[in-house]
Amino acid sequence: TNQHSVEQRQARQAAASFAFSDGFEAWFDPNQPIKYTKPGTDSHEVKRLRRGDYPPDLILDLHGLKRDDAKLEIAALLHTAIKQHCHCVCIVHGLGEHILKKSVPNWLIQHPDVLAFHQAPLEWGGNGALLVLLNSH
């Protein structure tokens, strides 16, 4: 097999080792764009995300994925992004039936390396996407 599929498999294994709980439900103000800043993280960071100061290093499009597949893809994306020292990623969840729109933020909050996220500016997908700021060590 080629190197790429080996890396993908490793990423998937790494993803499987970080399991997002579905029992966790954060509260987001339904009248506000979705945003989150990890306690202890500079609150200005989320403003920078909102303004589009951080163009995403990687973009993950979840369109057409089932919830469980989306969860694995996100875990794999975060693993790869952190390994590659990416500062910001974009996760395009689309609007669909709002299942992913609701689930993705709840998963992201659980990840230790997610510092902040904000509904993406229009050029990165608007309310069908999130920009995510990572602690890329």
Side-chain angles (χ1 to χ4, degrees):
T1 60
N2 64 21
Q3 185 61 29
H4 186 62
S5 64
V6 170
E7 279 172 19
Q8 274 187 324
R9 198 165 62 244
Q10 285 168 342
R12 289 224 171 9
Q13 282 162 349
S17 72
F18 186 85
F20 294 110
S21 157
D22 287 319
F24 178 83
E25 290 261 322
W27 185 82
F28 294 98
D29 184 338
N31 305 311
Q32 294 281 324
I34 286 191
K35 59 177 185 275
Y36 161 80
T37 312
K38 185 179 186 159
T41 301
D42 181 354
S43 61
H44 285 88
E45 293 289 21
V46 89
K47 290 191 183 74
R48 290 183 190 123
L49 284 175
R50 187 188 71 218
R51 288 201 307 251
D53 289 356
Y54 299 131
D57 299 301
L58 296 172
I59 296 175
L60 173 65
D61 190 341
L62 300 172
H63 276 105
L65 288 185
K66 290 190 170 53
R67 203 162 166 274
D68 287 345
D69 294 334
K71 195 193 292 190
L72 283 174
E73 288 296 329
I74 289 170
L77 169 83
L78 294 176
H79 172 76
T80 303
I82 289 152
K83 223 170 76 172
Q84 294 176 5
H85 306 293
C86 299
H87 192 49
C88 179
V89 296
C90 180
I91 297 176
V92 183
H93 49 68
L95 294 173
E97 290 139 39
H98 285 281
I99 296 164
L100 288 179
K101 187 178 165 72
K102 204 159 122 29
S103 301
V104 171
N106 285 322
W107 295 334
L108 289 173
I109 283 179
Q110 298 174 51
H111 200 285
D113 292 310
V114 169
L115 298 180
F117 54 78
H118 197 286
Q119 176 180 307
L122 279 176
E123 72 259 38
W124 302 111
N127 68 350
L130 290 171
L131 284 186
V132 186
L133 191 69
L134 297 172
N135 175 12
S136 49
H137 312 296

